[in-house]
Structures are given as structure tokens and as C-alpha cells.
């Protein structure tokens, strides 16, 4: 219905509909119940509630026409006409089916929606309510980007908000707003804005230097010099000079240390000088001179080594550092389509076509000292001892595989196998120590030996034999491992030049570092498998129903993706259903022991609680039958290595177990330890190198393995695996063992992680697809 009327007549007509509006409003959202017209006065100020209202204009009628106001849907005109003639058609909020018409002469004014937004924004800016002003300003920017006064309003918001934040010590946020203001409207109060940028920069730089955050301070200074260098800001000049002063002091101290032949201190000071001022005169030349005189590489580690074993299954640091000290008879170099690739360090190895004879040929002419002193009969004896149960190097899979060992010539050994074996070389990862060559037991055979172990550092020195063999001084004379408390601490040390290599990265840190030009990030080709391993006689942990409860009570997906990956995607990182690697992709040969049809148990806390109760009831019933006291569910002690990643994971696991009613105690292991002493923990968080399931299955699950499982089904599965004659049988029997492990839970599988390392670009010779960080340490060279 369309009509013309005075405002009073119009409002009387609307009054007829008022009762209907109220009734309708009972079933509408709150904003539909607001008053949308009145015969007098003006609408109530909505404040922040305006953001909840539908956009609308407010039409005020003249007193002559009867007064009053209405809230209308946005009008087609966005300003009052200079000469009001004719009529205005509009619709009122809440009365969607009616159209109304009023004479322009009866309209006193119109409060347009965008002007109300501008008033609210300006009022809140004036009152320094920037949190309240921001949503109004955002709507204006989004819906009315060409409003004449919007630029000034936005600039005023940025300027006054920046001043407020600076006075509240929020310097970084203040600087960000000042810079946004300058780039958005360079002419706005330019002199004062530049002065504020300089003052804020000065305070922020001082705070960063005081906190030791020199990397970010230098990046900030470099960017500001590039952006505002033409304005000669005092803070830029001051801090440019300050960094030069600090760098010059460090350089002079380094020069003095060189004179005293204190190359360790000289190296640290020279790098700190170059870090403080990359273009300092003579800085690079000084670093190069020191590195030539005494090559030294610093390696940042999250896990410090206290034991050294290059084939240790459960100890990342022992594997890493062990490779510096010891060689292994057969060393894994990487993964291949059929198992791992292994090098025989004393020469060459071949398997006959029928896979029943392993032939070893020794070539001492190409071996370094002391490896070149190996004798064929001694080596044959070592192979035989590995098959003797009373020997400390005994390994049952090798004993079950070999039937005879013979010397066939002065440099040749033949190992006759009981049955065809797909990969006999993997059974001979035996550590070679100095006792093999007339030295002391446990003595190193690698290029380095342990010089000093301090609280935060472990120094490895190049042996004299290795130094003479190198023929030059470029091979690192020292490799120094520096323990870092957290991932961020290690990254900071890498960027500052305090360390040259970082052996293990959080996935989120790896993603960030890949953007740096001065750092290279590389993934290790073989993943690690993270699991919980029972390690005590805890009566309930020994019960597989209770172990299932523990697994159902862990939200593994959430911990992996949220806590460890920090919501970043990382190819190959995944939750597992068994103890073997799943590979990095569907066709990855490393996943030959993983059954993808077995899905990981989901997070089901209710089922976990039910299984805990079931375990308690069964234990109580058994005790009653035997006439023994009912066992009590005591605290579950969860041990973890002293590194940040393990700590984060175990804290999350504890909080989730507590939600299902368990009492959990965390036990942090001493530095360098990955397995607890007897009766100090019930479960231990382990990161395992399951790189060759055909051999590592027993090392993990066997009675003498990490899990020390006495389960008969597990034992049968291991024996059948070791009797496999071809790769098809190996795969089929590993899948069966995966299924048994999934049901019996000798260990609690968590997830697979793809680890990365990073190094500065001036370190060359790292090599490609290295399994262990120090695999090519003898080829490392520092260049500038």
C-alpha cells in the first residue's frame, strides 16, 4: 500500500501495526525487537550494539508535520537534497511488506548509516577507546572505502592508538602502527610521525639488545635503514653506530686472542663481531684466518650425548655422537628398494645369487689408520663370537642365520648361511673399537675422540692419525656440541653464528628457517618412531587391557599436529598403529613392515575409563581367587629424555591421562639418558630409529630388546620373520607381527616424525641423504 500523509497520520497508521510487531518479535532474534519508529524524541543510543543491528538510516520529521522518526532500510539517496521537492519512498525495519512515502518538505533531516558509523568511530577515538572504535572503522573501510573523510579518520586512529601503546610500553605494536600510518598517508603529520618512529625504534632496540635478541634487532635496524634512510632518523644513526662500536670491540678482542693462540675464544669473538656488523672492516678476513689456523665447527643439540653408540636404537644423541668416535663393521647409508644400503668398512661384501653365502673381501691398502691394521683371522673370530650366546656381542638373528664361517685366502671370509637371507649385512652392525687393533677396550676408531665434557658442551678433537691422513688443515680440528634448552634457543644461536649446525629441529622451526638465505634446512631420509615402552613390574601396566586404556586415553592426533607440529603440515609425520615405520609416502620402500589396513586407535576417553575399570575388576577377581590382597592402582610414572620435544609430548599425555582418572608422575631422565634405572619409572617415552624392521623388530620387541617382551605370540612372530627366505615372506611376516603388536601392545605406538637439521651456508661438505649428522664430518669445510 502506498500513500502520502503527514508524519502524525503516518505514525497513527503505524500504531495500528504496533501490537502485531510485538507479537512477531516474540519469535525473532533480539535485534528484531528494537523500536523502529516513534512519534517523538529520538532513538536510544545503541553504542556497540549498533554493530548487531541491520544497516539503516534514521528519518526525522519536522515539528510542523507532527515530529517523530523512523528507522528505514538504507535509502537510495545518500545525502539530503539541497532543494527538497517531491517525495521519498522508504520501508521501515520490521515492516518488510509495506512501502511508505513522505514529502521531502516534511523531513527535517536524515541520519545516514555511514555518518553514524563515522561519529561512533570519531567519538571513541577521542575517548581513546580504540578497541571499541576498531570494528566501526573496519565496516567503513569495507563498505564505504571512498568516503571523503575516511582517510583522515583512519590516520587519526593509527596515530592516537600508536601513541597510547607507546606510553604503555607496547613499543613493537606502536612501531607497527606508526609505520602503517606513514605508508598509508605519508603527508599526515609527517614530521611528528617520523619523530615518533625514531623514538619508538630507539626504545625497542634498547629493549631487544638488553634481552640479547640481537638477530631481530639487526633485522629491524636493516629494514628501517632501507625504508627511512632518506629521513636521517636519529635512532637509526645511533644504533648503527652502537652496533659498529660493539662489533669493533669484539673484533679487537678476537685479534688479541689470536696473538695468544687462544683460537677457540678468537673464533667465538670474531663471529660475534661479524654478526653484530656484517660489513665491519676486515671482519670476514679475520674469521677466515682463524678458521684456517684452527678449523672448528659448533653444533647445537637438543639432546646432549653421554653415551656413544652409533647403532643405539633408542638414543638419538648416542647414535649421533657415536658416529664420530666409532666405526661399525657394516654402516647404513640409506634406504633402498630392498632394505637398507650398508657399507663394509674393511672392504667389499657380496651375497651369492642363492643368498646362502656372504663373502667379505678386505682391502687394507685403502683403509685409514687404525682400520688398516685389521687381520682376517681376528675379523673371522668377531663374526663367530656374534653367534655365541656367552659373548657380549651375541645376536640371536645372526646365530640363527649362520652355520659356518671360514677364511678363504689371506683377505677373504665366507659366511655360510643356514637358509637364504634377504639382507645378511644388516645383522652385522657391530661397533669396532680400539681393542680390535691392540688398543684399550672402548677406545675410539673414528676420526675424533672425546676431549672435554662440560655442563653445556662436549668437545670432540680430531685424532692425530686422522689429522695426518687428511694432508691439510681444513678438516675440523674440533667439533663442539653445545646443548640448547629449547628449539627457539637453538635457532637463535644458529642465526647469530654462535653455532654452525643444528642437529634437530622442531617442524615449525624448520619451516621458518627454510625462508632464510644464510641457512640450509635438510630432512633426514629416515624417520624416527615415537612410542611408550613399559619398563617396570607395575601390575596394571603389564595388563594389555590397561595398556589399551592408556592408548585410548591419548589424543595422539592432537598432540602431534597441535603441540609438536604447531599446526604446520609436515609430510611423513603421522600417528601410527604399530612399532614399524610407515614410510614417507605410499610407495616408500621403508614402509615394507607397516600394514596400512590397520588404523590407529582413536582417542576415546570413555572407552579408556571403561578399560581401566575392567582391568581393576579382573585384577580384583584374580586376587580373590588366589586369596591375595586386591591390588591397588598406583601412580603411573612416565619417564622422558631431557629434551624439549619429549617434555612437551609427555606433559600433554599426562594431562590427558589425568582426565580419565589416572594419577601420573613425570620423571625427567638425566642429560644423555633415554632409559630409566630399575624401579624409577613404569613407562618411558622413546624416539626409536627403526630403520630396518627385519632386524630392528627383535632389537625392539625381543626378550633382550628394548621392550623385553615375553609374549609368546610376539616371540613366534619374531622367529617366523627371521626364517623368511625372500622379500615377500619378509613383508608378509612383518605385517603379521604388526597385527600382533597392535593387539598385544608390547609397546604403545605414538607417531612417526620426520626430523630435520640445519646448517649455515658457509659450511660445505655435508653431503646428501645422510642418515647420521656426522656421516660425512670428515669432509666438512668452513668457507667465507
Amino acid at each position: 500500500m502506498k500513500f502520502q500523509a503527514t508524519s502524525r497520520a503516518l505514525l497513527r497508521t503505524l500504531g495500528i501495526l504496533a501490537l502485531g510487531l510485538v507479537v512477531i518479535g516474540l519469535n525473532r532474534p533480539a535485534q528484531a525487537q528494537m523500536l523502529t519508529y516513534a512519534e517523538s524524541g529520538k532513538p536510544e543510543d545503541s553504542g556497540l550494539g549498533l554493530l548487531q543491528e541491520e544497516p539503516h538510516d534514521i528519518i526525522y520529521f519536522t515539528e510542523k508535520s507532527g515530529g517523530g522518526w523512523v528507522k528505514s532500510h538504507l535509502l537510495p539517496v545518500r545525502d539530503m537534497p539541497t532543494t527538497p521537492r517531491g517525495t521519498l519512498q522508504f520501508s521501515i525495519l520490521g515492516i518488510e511488506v509495506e512501502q511508505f512515502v513522505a514529502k521531502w518538505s516534511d523531513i527535517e533531516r536524515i541520519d545516514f548509516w555511514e555518518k553514524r558509523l563515522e561519529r561512533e568511530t570519531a567519538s571513541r577515538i577521542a575517548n581513546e577507546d580504540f578497541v571499541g572504535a576498531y570494528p566501526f572503522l573496519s565496516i567503513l573501510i569495507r563498505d564505504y572505502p571512498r568516503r571523503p573523510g575516511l582517510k583522515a579518520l583512519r590516520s587519526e586512529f593509527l596515530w592516537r592508538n600508536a601513541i597510547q601503546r607507546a606510553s604503555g610500553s607496547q613499543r613493537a605494536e606502536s612501531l607497527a602502527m606508526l609505520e602503517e600510518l606513514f605508508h598509508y598517508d605519508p603527508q599526515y603529520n609527517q614530521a611528528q610521525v617520523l619523530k615518533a618512529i625514531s623514538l619508538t625504534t630507539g626504545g625497542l632496540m634498547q629493549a631487544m639488545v638488553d634481552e640479547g635478541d640481537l638477530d631481530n634487532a639487526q633485522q629491524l635496524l636493516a629494514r628501517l635503514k632501507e625504508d627511512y634512510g632518506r629521513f636521517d632518523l636519529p635512532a637509526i644513526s645511533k644504533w648503527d653506530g652502537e652496533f659498529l662500536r660493539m662489533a669493533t670491540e669484539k673484533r679487537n678482542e678476537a685479534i688479541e686472542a689470536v696473538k695468544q693462540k687462544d683460537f677457540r675464544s678468537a673464533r667465538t669473538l670474531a663471529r660475534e663481531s661479524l654478526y653484530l656488523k656484517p660489513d665491519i672492516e676486515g671482519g670476514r678476513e679475520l674469521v677466515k684466518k682463524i678458521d684456517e689456523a684452527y678449523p672448528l665447527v659448533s653444533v647445537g643439540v637438543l639432546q646432549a650425548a653421554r653415551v656413544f653408540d652409533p647403532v643405539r636404537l633408542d638414543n638419538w644423541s648416542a647414535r649421533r655422537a657415536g658416529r664420530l668416535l666409532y666405526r661399525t663393521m657394516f654402516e647404513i647409508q640409506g634406504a633402498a628398494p630392498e632394505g637398507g644400503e650398508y657399507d663394509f668398512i674393511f672392504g667389499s661384501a657380496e651375497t651369492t645369487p642363492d643368498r646362502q653365502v656372504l663373502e667379505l673381501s678386505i682391502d687394507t691398502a685403502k683403509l685409514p689408520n687404525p682400520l688398516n691394521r685389521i687381520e682376517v683371522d681376528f675379523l673371522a673370530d668377531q663374526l663367530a663370537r656374534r653367534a655365541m650366546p656367552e659373548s657380549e656381542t651375541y645376536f640371536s638373528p645372526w646365530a640363527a642365520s649362520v652355520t659356518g664361517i671360514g677364511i678363504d685366502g689371506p683377505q677373504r671370509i665366507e659366511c655360510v648361511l643356514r637358509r637364504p637371507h634377504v639382507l645378511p649385512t644388516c645383522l652385522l652392525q657391530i661397533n669396532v673399537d680400539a681393542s680390535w687393533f691392540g688398543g684399550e677396550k672402548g677406545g675410539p676408531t673414528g676420526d675424533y675422540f672425546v676431549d672435554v665434557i662440560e655442563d653445556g658442551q662436549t668437545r670432540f678433537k680430531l685424532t692425530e692419525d686422522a689429522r695426518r691422513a687428511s694432508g691439510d688443515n681444513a678438516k675440523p680440528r674440533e667439533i663442539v656440541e653445545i646443548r640448547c634448552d629449547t628449539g627457539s634457543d637453538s635457532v637463535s644461536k644458529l642465526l647469530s653464528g654462535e653455532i654452525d649446525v643444528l642437529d634437530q629441529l622442531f617442524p615449525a622451526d624448520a619451516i621458518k628457517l627454510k625462508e632464510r638465505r644464510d641457512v640450509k634446512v635438510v630432512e633426514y631420509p629416515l624417520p624416527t618412531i615415537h612410542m611408550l615402552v613399559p619398563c617396570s613390574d607395575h601390575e596394571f601396566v603389564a595388563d594389555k587391557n590397561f595398556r589399551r586404556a592408556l592408548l585410548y586415553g591419548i589424543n595422539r592426533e592432537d598432540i602431534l599436529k597441535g603441540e609438536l607440529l604447531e599446526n604446520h603440515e609436515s609430510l611423513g609425520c603421522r600417528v601410527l598403529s604399530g612399532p614399524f615405520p610407515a614410510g614417507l609416502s605410499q610407495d616408500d620402500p621403508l614402509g615394507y613392515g607397516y600394514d596400512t589396513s590397520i588404523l590407529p586407535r582413536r582417542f576415546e576417553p570413555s572407552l579408556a575409563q571403561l578399560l581401566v575399570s575392567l582391568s581393576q575388576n579382573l585384577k580384583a577377581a584374580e586376587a580373590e581367587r588366589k586369596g591375595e590382597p586386591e591390588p591397588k592402582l598406583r601412580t603411573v610414572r612416565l619417564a622422558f629424555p631431557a629434551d624439549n620435544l619429549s617434555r612437551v609430548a609427555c606433559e600433554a599425555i599426562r594431562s590427558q591421562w589425568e582426565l580419565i582418572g589416572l594419577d601420573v608422575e613425570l620423571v625427567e631422565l638425566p642429560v644423555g639418558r633415554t632409559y630409566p634405572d630399575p624401579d624409577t619409572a613404569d613407562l618411558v617415552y622413546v624416539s626409536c630409529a627403526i630403520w630396518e624392521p627385519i632386524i630392528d623388530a627383535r632389537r625392539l620387541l625381543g626378550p633382550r630388546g628394548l621392550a623385553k617382551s615375553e609374549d609368546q605370540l610376539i616371540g613366534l612372530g619374531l622367529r617366523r620373520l627371521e626364517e623368511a627366505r625372500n622379500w615377500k615372506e619378509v613383508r608378509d611376516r612383518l605385517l603379521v607381527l604388526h597385527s600382533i603388536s597392535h593387539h598385544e601392545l608390547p609397546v604403545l605406538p605414538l607417531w612417526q616424525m620426520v626430523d630435520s637439521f640445519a646448517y649455515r651456508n658457509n659450511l660445505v661438505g655435508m653431503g646428501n641423504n645422510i642418515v647420521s649428522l656426522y656421516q660425512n664430518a670428515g669432509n666438512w669445510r668452513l668457507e667465507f
Side-chain angles (χ1 to χ4, degrees):
M1 176 177 66
K2 296 183 180 181
F3 60 90
Q4 294 184 8
T6 64
S7 63
R8 186 170 299 280
L10 173 65
L11 292 170
R12 276 200 303 271
T13 304
L14 293 175
I16 298 171
L17 300 173
L19 180 60
L21 286 174
V22 172
V23 174
I24 294 171
L26 292 176
N27 296 316
R28 290 189 176 185
Q31 60 264 30
Q33 299 178 31
M34 65 183 180
L35 189 61
T36 59
Y37 57 87
E39 296 187 11
S40 62
K42 61 180 181 179
E44 182 180 347
D45 185 9
S46 301
L48 285 173
L50 186 64
L51 298 171
Q52 305 299 320
E53 297 179 12
E54 183 180 352
H56 60 274
D57 299 323
I58 303 177
I59 305 173
Y60 291 89
F61 296 98
T62 64
E63 288 295 330
K64 183 179 179 181
S65 65
W69 55 269
V70 295
K71 290 184 178 181
S72 75
H73 290 284
L74 294 181
L75 299 168
V77 297
R78 303 314 302 158
D79 209 345
M80 288 288 290
T82 54
T83 307
R85 287 194 299 268
T87 60
L88 173 66
Q89 182 175 306
F90 58 93
S91 60
I92 301 175
L93 294 184
I95 311 176
E96 314 298 340
V97 297
E98 298 290 345
Q99 289 288 322
F100 301 97
V101 179
K103 295 179 180 179
W104 272 109
S105 58
D106 288 338
I107 297 174
E108 179 181 304
R109 64 185 176 91
I110 300 176
D111 195 358
F112 292 99
W113 172 251
E114 57 270 31
K115 290 185 178 179
R116 293 186 70 193
L117 294 175
E118 289 173 344
R119 284 202 311 275
E120 285 286 346
T121 305
S123 173
R124 293 175 186 278
I125 291 173
N127 294 324
E128 297 190 344
D129 177 15
F130 301 107
V131 174
Y134 180 76
F136 293 100
L137 182 60
S138 298
I139 295 173
L140 285 168
I141 293 171
R142 183 193 67 193
D143 297 340
Y144 304 96
R146 295 183 178 83
R147 287 287 296 173
L150 180 58
K151 188 173 186 179
L153 193 63
R154 183 177 179 183
S155 298
E156 186 73 7
F157 173 86
L158 291 169
W159 169 246
R160 299 189 62 166
N161 196 359
I163 298 302
Q164 183 195 59
R165 289 178 180 272
S167 63
S169 299
Q170 293 179 294
R171 298 186 185 91
E173 294 84 350
S174 176
L175 181 60
M177 286 190 165
L178 289 168
E179 290 197 84
E180 183 183 351
L181 170 58
F182 184 78
H183 293 300
Y184 173 67
D185 188 1
Q187 302 308 313
Y188 178 87
N189 206 6
Q190 187 182 91
Q192 291 300 313
V193 171
L194 289 172
K195 181 180 178 181
I197 289 175
S198 180
L199 291 172
T200 307
T201 296
L204 183 59
M205 289 291 291
Q206 185 66 61
M208 295 169 80
V209 170
D210 290 344
E211 293 170 4
D213 190 6
L214 298 180
D215 183 63
N216 285 327
Q218 288 174 314
Q219 290 186 46
L220 174 62
L221 182 60
R223 184 180 60 76
L224 293 177
K225 284 172 66 176
E226 182 178 347
D227 292 347
Y228 306 100
R230 66 187 186 278
F231 297 107
D232 194 26
L233 299 185
I236 293 177
S237 302
K238 173 191 172 182
W239 283 101
D240 201 32
E242 185 65 17
F243 274 110
L244 177 60
R245 181 192 64 77
M246 291 189 291
T248 302
E249 287 182 2
K250 295 288 186 182
R251 184 193 61 186
N252 293 340
E253 291 175 16
I255 292 172
E256 187 61 32
V258 170
K259 293 178 181 178
Q260 302 298 323
K261 296 190 180 299
D262 183 3
F263 293 108
R264 292 174 182 167
S265 299
R267 180 185 186 276
T268 300
L269 291 165
R271 277 170 164 74
E272 287 178 353
S273 171
L274 196 63
Y275 173 61
L276 288 166
K277 191 70 175 173
D279 58 351
I280 188 171
E281 183 179 356
R284 291 186 175 276
E285 291 76 9
L286 178 60
V287 170
K288 183 177 180 180
K289 176 182 176 181
I290 294 170
D291 284 342
E292 288 175 348
Y294 195 83
L296 183 151
V297 176
S298 296
V299 179
V301 300
L302 295 176
Q303 303 180 45
R306 293 295 182 267
V307 293
F308 307 96
D309 184 353
V311 296
R312 179 74 176 262
L313 191 71
D314 64 315
N315 193 319
W316 175 283
S317 61
R319 289 194 305 274
R320 179 194 66 235
R323 181 60 179 81
L324 281 179
L325 271 62
Y326 300 107
R327 302 299 302 273
T328 307
M329 185 186 297
F330 280 88
E331 295 176 340
I332 187 169
Q333 304 298 316
E338 292 190 344
E341 293 182 332
Y342 297 86
D343 279 352
F344 179 47
I345 63 168
F346 295 114
S348 60
E350 290 185 3
T351 305
T352 55
D354 61 2
R355 296 183 180 273
Q356 289 204 260
V357 178
L358 174 63
E359 301 172 344
L360 307 179
S361 299
I362 301 173
D363 186 359
T364 57
K366 298 180 180 179
L367 295 177
N369 193 45
L371 300 183
N372 58 8
R373 302 205 302 269
I374 189 67
E375 296 178 357
V376 67
D377 55 341
F378 181 86
L379 185 58
D381 287 344
Q382 293 298 322
L383 294 173
R385 288 193 185 97
R386 191 159 175 80
M388 298 177 181
E390 66 274 12
S391 169
E392 63 180 17
T393 61
Y394 172 73
F395 190 50
S396 58
W398 173 249
S401 299
V402 68
T403 187
I405 299 172
I407 298 175
D408 183 19
Q411 303 292 314
R412 185 179 175 85
I413 298 174
E414 284 191 355
C415 302
V416 181
L417 307 178
R418 296 181 188 277
R419 63 185 70 84
H421 197 286
V422 293
L423 200 63
T425 53
C426 76
L427 305 175
L428 296 173
Q429 297 178 67
I430 308 171
N431 284 342
V432 178
D433 67 14
S435 65
W436 287 38
F437 312 101
E440 64 181 63
K441 187 173 180 59
T445 51
D447 289 342
Y448 292 83
F449 66 94
V450 178
D451 181 33
V452 177
I453 297 179
E454 299 172 337
D455 287 342
Q457 291 188 4
T458 304
R459 294 185 176 276
F460 301 91
K461 260 192 171 181
L462 189 66
T463 64
E464 287 300 321
D465 286 340
R467 185 176 177 183
R468 285 193 295 268
S470 66
D472 58 54
N473 292 323
K475 182 179 287 190
R477 296 273 291 280
E478 280 189 22
I479 293 177
V480 182
E481 290 191 348
I482 300 173
R483 184 169 181 261
C484 305
D485 292 329
T486 63
S488 58
D489 177 41
S490 63
V491 169
S492 177
K493 283 182 168 62
L494 180 70
L495 296 178
S496 69
E498 184 176 343
I499 59 177
D500 304 295
V501 186
L502 186 52
D503 91 306
Q504 191 179 19
L505 294 167
F506 266 81
D509 291 332
I511 292 170
K512 295 173 187 174
L513 283 176
K514 285 179 181 179
E515 300 173 359
R516 301 277 305 205
R517 294 183 178 180
D518 55 341
V519 171
K520 187 171 183 181
V521 176
V522 182
E523 288 183 351
Y524 291 104
L526 302 177
T528 51
I529 309 303
H530 296 237
M531 62 186 72
L532 300 181
V533 179
C535 55
S536 79
D537 58 356
H538 191 294
E539 194 167 359
F540 282 87
V541 173
D543 178 18
K544 63 183 179 184
N545 288 316
F546 187 78
R547 293 198 299 272
R548 287 195 188 103
L550 294 178
L551 206 54
Y552 278 120
I554 305 174
N555 192 338
R556 291 177 287 170
E557 195 78 28
D558 184 65
I559 295 175
L560 174 62
K561 293 187 176 179
E563 300 286 346
L564 304 183
L565 300 182
E566 298 181 19
N567 297 314
H568 293 283
E569 288 294 327
S570 184
L571 182 65
C573 295
R574 55 177 291 182
V575 172
L576 298 177
S577 62
F580 306 132
L584 305 186
S585 60
Q586 288 187 345
D587 57 352
D588 189 342
L590 181 64
Y592 68 84
Y594 190 84
D595 189 345
T596 55
S597 68
I598 300 177
L599 301 179
R601 288 180 171 87
R602 296 174 298 177
F603 174 53
E604 296 189 29
S606 298
L607 179 56
Q609 289 177 311
L610 181 63
L611 287 170
V612 169
S613 298
L614 173 63
S615 180
Q616 289 177 304
N617 292 337
L618 291 175
K619 293 288 184 187
E622 183 181 3
E624 183 179 358
R625 181 174 57 81
K626 294 181 177 179
E628 299 174 349
E630 179 181 335
K632 301 298 181 184
L633 177 53
R634 55 187 171 90
T635 300
V636 177
R637 297 166 297 177
L638 175 59
F640 62 93
D643 68 87
N644 199 37
L645 187 145
S646 301
R647 184 180 300 108
V648 168
C650 288
E651 286 176 350
I653 290 171
R654 176 180 62 177
S655 65
Q656 293 177 2
W657 279 350
E658 288 176 341
L659 291 176
I660 63 172
L662 298 181
D663 187 13
V664 184
E665 176 189 347
L666 293 185
V667 179
E668 182 170 332
L669 298 173
V671 172
R673 293 277 302 278
T674 56
Y675 202 85
D677 290 327
D679 199 32
T680 60
D682 305 305
L683 292 157
V684 58
Y685 180 94
V686 171
S687 166
C688 275
I690 310 294
W691 294 341
E692 196 69 80
I694 190 175
I695 176 179
D696 292 334
R698 180 168 289 277
R699 296 176 66 201
L700 173 65
L701 303 174
R704 297 176 61 174
L706 195 62
K708 297 179 174 57
S709 175
E710 300 287 349
D711 187 285
Q712 293 185 2
L713 288 175
I714 294 291
L716 177 61
L718 291 172
R719 290 192 297 274
R720 294 200 67 233
L721 171 63
E722 290 155 4
E723 293 169 356
R725 294 170 176 268
N726 54 58
W727 278 107
K728 183 182 184 306
E729 289 185 358
V730 166
R731 173 166 172 75
D732 290 345
R733 294 176 187 185
L734 273 170
L735 297 187
V736 171
L737 190 54
H738 179 168
S739 177
I740 295 172
S741 299
H742 178 71
H743 292 287
E744 300 297 313
L745 290 178
V747 299
L748 277 63
L750 297 176
W751 42 74
Q752 172 179 285
M753 291 285 284
V754 178
D755 300 287
S756 305
F757 65 94
Y759 61 95
R760 298 181 65 83
N761 287 340
N762 63 305
L763 180 63
V764 299
M766 293 295 296
N768 297 318
N769 293 320
I770 58 173
V771 174
S772 172
L773 182 70
Y774 297 131
Q775 190 168 320
N776 294 320
N779 298 326
W780 289 3
R781 300 292 184 271
L782 289 165
E783 294 183 352
F784 277 92

